[in-house]
Amino acid sequence: MLETTIFYISAAVALAATILAMTRTNAIHALIYLIVSLLAIAVIFFVVGAPFAAALEVVIYAGAIMVLFVFVIMMLNLGEEGDARERKWLEPSIWIGPATLSVVLLIELIFLIGSVEGQVSQGVVSAKMVGISLFGPYVLAVELASMLLLAGMVGAFHLGRRLLEKRA
Amino acid sequence: MNELAVPLNHLLFLSGLLFSIGMLGVMIRRNIIFILMSIEVMLNACALAFVGAGAHWGQPDGQVMYVMILSIAAAEVAVGLGLVLQIQRRFKTLDMDQANRMRG
C-alpha cells in the first residue's frame, strides 16, 4: 500500500516537473525542473524494485548529464535577452497543429496500453542479477556500449578542440 | 504478488505521457538546448518502460537495457552539446531555424 502511494505521488511530481521544464523560458530553471523529474523517476525505479537503476539514475542522469548541461549553458552565457527571445518563440500558433495530432496519437496509445494486464511485482531485481546478466548473455551489448562511448568521446573532443583552437 | 501492487499499465501510462511531453518539447521549442533536454526526457521515458517491464517479469533484462539507454544518452549529450557550442560560435544564435543550411 505504501509503495503504491509513493508511486502515484512521484509519478505526479515527475509529470508536473517535466511539463514545467518544457515550458520554461530560462534554460537553468528548465534544467532544475528536469533534475526534479529525474529524481522522481529514480524514486519510481526504487519502488518497483530496481535499486540499481535508481542509483544509476541519480548518479549518471541527474548528476553527470545534467552537470554537463549546466556547464554548457554557463559557457553560452544566454542572459536576459535570451529569455525574452524564448518567450517570443513559444507562440501557440506555431505548434498547435502538431501538438493536437500527437495528442490524438497519445490517446490511442493510452487506449491500447489500457488493455495490458498484470502488476509490477514486489520482488527486487538486485544489482547482482543485473551484473550477471550484463556480463553473461549481454556481453556483446557491453562491448557495443563501450564502442559507442568511445565514439562519443572522440566526437565531443573533435568538436570542442576546434572551438578552443579558434579562440586561442 | 498482492492486489495492492502498482499495475503495469499505470507505469506504461506514465512512460507514454512523459514520452509525449518530450516529443512536444522537441516540436515546440526552437532553442537547441531545450531540444536536447526534450530528447533526454524521451530517452528517460523509454528507460522507465524498460525497467517497469523488467520488474513485471522479475528479470534483470529491463535494467540491462536501461544501462544501454544510459550510455546512449551520455554519448548523445556529449556530442550534442559539442555541436551546440559550435553552432553558437558559428551562427551566433541557438535558433535551429537559422542553422538549417548545410554550408553555414
Side-chain angles (χ1 to χ4, degrees):
Chain A
M1 190 62 215
L2 182 66
E3 279 90 355
T4 320
T5 319
I6 290 174
F7 170 79
Y8 288 115
I9 292 172
S10 29
V13 169
L15 278 176
T18 312
I19 290 170
L20 284 168
M22 291 297 104
T23 51
R24 290 307 91 181
T25 52
N26 188 319
I28 290 284
H29 295 177
L31 210 54
I32 290 169
Y33 276 119
L34 200 55
I35 290 172
V36 173
S37 155
L38 294 175
L39 291 177
I41 290 171
V43 172
I44 291 173
F45 284 167
F46 199 78
V47 166
V48 300
F52 181 60
L56 282 185
E57 179 92 7
V58 173
V59 173
I60 296 181
Y61 248 118
I65 294 179
M66 290 299 127
V67 165
L68 211 58
F69 268 106
V70 170
F71 278 145
V72 168
I73 291 170
M74 282 175 174
M75 279 177 80
L76 292 179
N77 203 4
L78 294 171
E80 288 292 319
E81 69 272 19
D83 221 15
R85 202 184 46 201
E86 277 295 316
R87 203 164 290 123
K88 200 179 80 220
W89 285 349
L90 265 181
E91 307 178 330
S93 63
I94 298 167
W95 51 266
I96 201 85
T100 319
L101 291 176
S102 58
V103 164
V104 171
L105 285 178
L106 174 68
I107 291 168
E108 284 181 354
L109 181 70
I110 284 178
F111 183 72
L112 289 174
I113 289 173
S115 62
V116 172
E117 304 264 320
Q119 291 161 336
V120 177
S121 71
Q122 296 286 306
V124 172
V125 179
S126 65
K128 187 181 174 188
M129 287 168 75
V130 178
I132 287 170
S133 185
L134 204 55
F135 291 100
Y138 284 101
V139 71
L140 192 64
V142 175
E143 293 294 324
L144 285 175
S146 73
M147 283 167 70
L148 176 72
L149 286 173
L150 179 68
M153 193 178 74
V154 171
F157 178 72
H158 177 67
L159 289 168
R161 187 178 57 94
R162 282 167 60 193
L163 182 72
L164 292 178
E165 270 177 5
K166 290 277 165 55
R167 196 174 275 172
Chain B
M1 197 186 282
N2 57 20
E3 71 268 19
L4 291 174
V6 180
L8 178 62
N9 54 9
H10 288 189
L11 206 143
L12 293 178
F13 283 155
L14 177 65
S15 169
L17 280 169
L18 284 176
F19 189 89
S20 349
I21 293 169
M23 199 172 70
L24 270 177
V26 172
M27 288 193 291
I28 71 176
R29 306 307 297 236
R30 282 169 68 184
N31 190 328
I32 187 168
I33 292 261
F34 285 95
I35 292 176
L36 280 177
M37 278 190 218
S38 311
I39 291 173
E40 287 301 307
V41 170
M42 287 164 75
L43 281 172
N44 209 40
C46 297
L48 180 65
F50 269 116
V51 172
H56 170 62
W57 299 107
Q59 295 294 320
D61 306 65
Q63 291 187 52
V64 170
M65 288 316 291
Y66 173 71
V67 175
M68 295 303 139
I69 290 175
L70 207 59
S71 48
I72 289 168
E76 175 254 324
V77 150
V79 175
L81 290 176
L83 283 173
V84 168
L85 292 177
Q86 285 288 338
I87 286 167
Q88 168 76 358
R89 188 177 67 88
R90 192 162 297 184
F91 298 100
K92 304 282 181 281
T93 177
L94 290 174
D95 183 1
M96 276 299 89
D97 293 7
Q98 298 291 315
N100 57 0
R101 287 162 299 152
M102 290 287 277
R103 298 173 65 85

